[in-house]
Amino acid sequence: MKAYGRRLVQKVSATRAFARVAPYVVPGLDRTVHRLTGGRVLLSASMLPGAILTVAGARTGLPRRTPLACLPEDAGTWLLIGSNFGRPGHPAWTANLLKNPEAEISWRGRDIPVRARLLTGAERAAAWAAVTGFWPPYVAYQARVTREIRLFRLEPR
């Protein structure tokens, strides 16, 4: 995406209107396109790197598949950001990972078993600086909510 287009998408995605609409549109489109392309394409990945997280539900134990923006790290790990588009509650997938940290991500057409770890303290602060440097709208999301946005690091198992 060209610099101007990226800035425009960042500006739009930081708005309250986007936060109201996106949770009902973006994940469904991503899941459909991901399935139709055999795991090779996520529409939202044109803005941010994306993966499909599969984790057991915290209450049901059933597998839950969620398309998510992520930040791949040089160490072969990924950061997941529980922004929920700047809405008040934590997204359900974060509760699932807290209870069931053994999960799987579909990354660039490959299914990779991972272990999730909630980041805290200095480690979280460094990760937050990385994700907000990469995608500034996360700052607006955090400013709209009183909860601390959860950050997870996924490590291959």
Side-chain angles (χ1 to χ4, degrees), residues 29-118:
L29 283 174
D30 267 344
R31 273 191 289 273
T32 301
V33 170
H34 187 262
R35 186 175 21 77
L36 292 174
T37 62
R40 291 182 309 277
V41 177
L42 282 174
L43 286 180
S44 62
S46 63
M47 297 179 291
L48 285 165
I52 300 283
L53 173 70
T54 303
V55 61
R59 285 180 283 172
T60 66
L62 297 173
R64 302 293 183 203
R65 292 178 54 81
T66 308
L68 299 170
C70 66
L71 182 60
E73 298 180 293
D74 291 339
T77 56
W78 298 264
L79 293 173
L80 294 184
I81 305 96
S83 69
N84 205 13
F85 297 97
R87 297 181 323 156
H90 290 290
W93 65 264
T94 66
N96 296 342
L97 278 182
L98 289 172
K99 183 159 184 190
N100 303 301
E102 304 287 319
E104 183 177 273
I105 62 165
S106 177
W107 173 251
R108 296 184 176 163
R110 290 182 28 232
D111 293 332
I112 304 167
V114 293
R115 179 164 183 82
R117 192 166 43 83
L118 179 65

Side-chain angles (χ1 to χ4, degrees), residues 83 86-90 124 140-149:
S83 69
R87 297 181 323 156
H90 290 290
R124 185 198 182 281
Y141 294 174
Q142 183 63 77
R144 282 202 299 264
V145 297
T146 56
R147 66 181 174 87
E148 181 177 74
I149 290 175

